[in-house]
Amino acid sequence: MLLLLLAYFGGILTILSPCILPVLPFVFARSDQPFRKSGLPLLAGMVVTFALIASLATVGGGWAIRANQFGRAAALVLFGIFGLTLLFSSLAERLSRPFVRLGNSLSQTSGEGPSVANSFLLGIGTGLLWAPCAGPILGLILTGAALGGASAHTTVLLLAYAAGAATSLTLALLAGGRVFSAMKRSLGAEEWIRRILGVAVLAGVVAVAFGLDRGVLTRLSLASTSGLEQRLVDRFHPQNDQMMARNPQGTPVSSEMTGDALSQINGATAWINSPPLTPESLRGKVVLVDFWTYSCINCIRSLPYIKAWYAKYKDDGLVVIGVHTPEFPFEKDEANVQKAVRDLGVLYPVAMDNDYRIWRNFNNQYWPAHYFIDATGHVRYHHFGEGNYDESEKWIRGLLEEANHKPLPDAATQVAATGAEAAASDDTQSPETYIGYERAQNFASPDGFNQDDVQLYRVPAKLQKNQWALEGNWLDEGQIATSLAPAGSILYRFHARDLHLVLGPAKDGKPIRFRVTLDGKAPGADHGVDTDAEGYGTVTDNRLYQLIRQQGAIQDRTFRIEFLVPGVQAYAFTFG
């Protein structure tokens, strides 16, 4: 219920979001018509179409996105005709009979009043234009569907989000109708209003057709709700939420899984460092289940503690299972995971969870997530995200003492992590940023993304903090961007000690040479473990690359990475 309300409120905020701007002309073009027969069916059509397209996207992936592009094109044609009939009433008479009938029907030129069916059809077209809008709350819904599988619950959440947006548009439409009526009574300007609306509709068509709804309008918008939406997500769905209950002795226990957790470990697609582990083989052991994926910087920074606990307590009965649940497609490749396990020095069993079965069994939502299971098979404690390592080790020791009926020597584990595994800086102000358009935010290249198609990208004159841009010929897809020509670059204005970028070599496996700069200069002492002082490095594997580690005071810096040959695959920035 809480997530349902959050989705509805996030939809209400859409009226303030840049992504709604191209839709407004089509909505307000009906503001002088009776709301029940015109505005309400239009909004209903928007809601239904938006929820349907978004639901299909969670099921069908790329094909649904491409299908929506055809829908957008059809909607643009429809609204082009609608706008022209509003602007030039005489033009409708010169069009062929079917288009005259459609244009006059949609623009309500007949004396019979607005048609509910036609208004609903217009709403469907508007919904096709609106469907690509996304913010953190909508992203949370779609990510949950992608990880947990599409369901009726997902569709209900999407309907709640769309209904929230329709609520705010309804209020604006009703207010707009009163304003229009007053203007007509006082000025007798109905024909001019029609023409102004026609110009607005055609301007909206042009904006959508040329991608200005994703580019220029974003930068010109007076308000963006992404920050407020993200705070709502963090407030009601926090990443470090412990969700604790208490047992009769007052000891914290997990409230999410009260049954036998060992039986939920079944479902791995492969095992690394171990034969398949079964509930029977784990009975009587204290088990730490660590959900991770090898390109996740938060997971990498927690690994030194997991590895240290395994080395220290394995002889006392601790079993550590790293459940590797992939985020990107390359993390499903067993050879890639085996190499990462070797390179990261992971010696304990790793279960590959490519089908997300173990993830769903635990009702998990986070990387990393640590579940502490006692000798009877029950989760007694869990922690999401980095940190809280002292408390986690206390739980390991307590569960082992409980299982072995004897105390352990009182000595906390000392961990000195280096490189990418070192703890994040307290002054990290830049968020994880995806390069693929499905989850991308703060993209600043003029004209926005050309989704699933090649485009020559440019950088703006100036990047604001946490804005980024592509330069050169790139193909940007849902999760990945591929450079298609030499000198393709990515720029990011960031504030953090460390900058990482998840990269992969060319599809044929050929290494990609690159160079990075900070504020136009070689990084020098501020280079990362995967670059030298001159900024040079090579992409050889699909993984996370640490490119920058500032040695002095942390400040806003402009990062640039130039790939000297085409073919690189870029996924996501992370910071620390």
Side-chain angles (χ1 to χ4, degrees), residues 26 38 42 52-53 70 132 145 165 174 251-252 259 279 316 335 356 373 442 454 458 495 497 500 523 531-532 539:
F26 310 122
S38 179
L42 182 144
L52 178 61
I53 291 296
F70 291 114
L174 291 173
T251 308
D316 296 306
Y356 282 76
I373 304 173
N442 301 323
V454 180
R458 299 174 291 115
H495 187 106
R497 183 194 65 198
H500 315 94
T531 53
D532 60 24
V539 179

Side-chain angles (χ1 to χ4, degrees), residues 103-364:
N104 287 336
S105 176
L106 291 178
S107 60
Q108 312 299 329
T109 57
S110 71
E112 299 176 359
S115 164
V116 172
N118 290 337
S119 296
F120 186 77
L121 175 63
L122 204 61
I124 290 176
T126 309
L128 287 168
L129 299 180
W130 176 40
C133 293
I137 291 176
L138 181 58
L140 175 66
I141 298 170
L142 295 179
T143 300
L147 298 182
S151 64
H153 180 62
T154 300
T155 301
V156 170
L157 289 175
L158 289 168
L159 281 171
Y161 184 91
T167 299
S168 56
L169 287 173
T170 297
L171 297 176
L173 190 57
L174 291 173
R178 295 189 183 96
V179 172
F180 275 42
S181 298
M183 290 176 64
K184 286 182 180 182
R185 287 194 303 269
S186 61
L187 302 177
E190 180 176 0
E191 186 62 29
W192 281 106
I193 292 174
R194 285 173 50 83
R195 291 179 181 178
I196 292 171
L197 291 175
V199 171
V201 169
L202 292 175
V205 169
V206 171
V208 174
F210 287 92
L212 299 178
D213 58 321
R214 297 186 294 266
V216 175
L217 288 176
T218 298
R219 291 187 290 278
L220 293 179
S221 64
L222 298 178
S224 176
T225 62
S226 60
L228 178 56
E229 286 190 36
Q230 190 62 58
R231 286 193 290 273
L232 285 171
V233 171
D234 294 340
R235 172 64 180 85
F236 294 109
H237 216 63
Q239 290 195 0
N240 289 312
D241 184 10
Q242 297 292 319
M243 290 182 289
M244 290 299 168
R246 297 261 172 193
N247 66 15
Q249 287 74 38
T251 308
V253 295
S254 169
S255 63
E256 287 200 352
M257 188 176 296
T258 57
D260 183 4
L262 297 179
S263 63
Q264 307 303 320
I265 297 174
N266 288 321
T269 54
W271 285 84
I272 300 172
N273 291 342
S274 169
L277 299 180
T278 64
E280 292 73 23
S281 66
L282 296 171
R283 195 72 60 191
K285 304 286 187 179
V286 173
V287 180
L288 167 55
V289 176
D290 171 31
F291 284 92
W292 72 300
T293 188
Y294 79 81
S295 74
C296 164
I297 186 59
N298 309 94
C299 303
I300 291 173
R301 288 197 288 247
S302 69
L303 277 180
Y305 297 89
I306 307 293
K307 293 186 292 185
W309 295 335
Y310 172 71
K312 184 174 181 178
Y313 297 113
K314 62 180 179 178
D315 293 336
D316 296 306
L318 176 67
V319 176
V320 176
I321 302 176
V323 178
H324 187 275
T325 311
E327 180 177 16
F328 299 115
F330 66 80
E331 293 172 314
K332 295 183 178 182
D333 188 295
E334 186 173 350
N336 287 345
V337 181
Q338 287 177 337
K339 185 178 187 304
V341 165
R342 291 194 302 271
D343 292 345
L344 293 169
V346 174
L347 303 177
Y348 47 80
V350 173
M352 291 189 61
D353 188 29
N354 284 358
D355 297 334
Y356 282 76
R357 288 184 60 186
I358 305 176
W359 178 283
R360 288 195 293 267
N361 289 345
F362 276 77
N363 193 29
N364 186 53

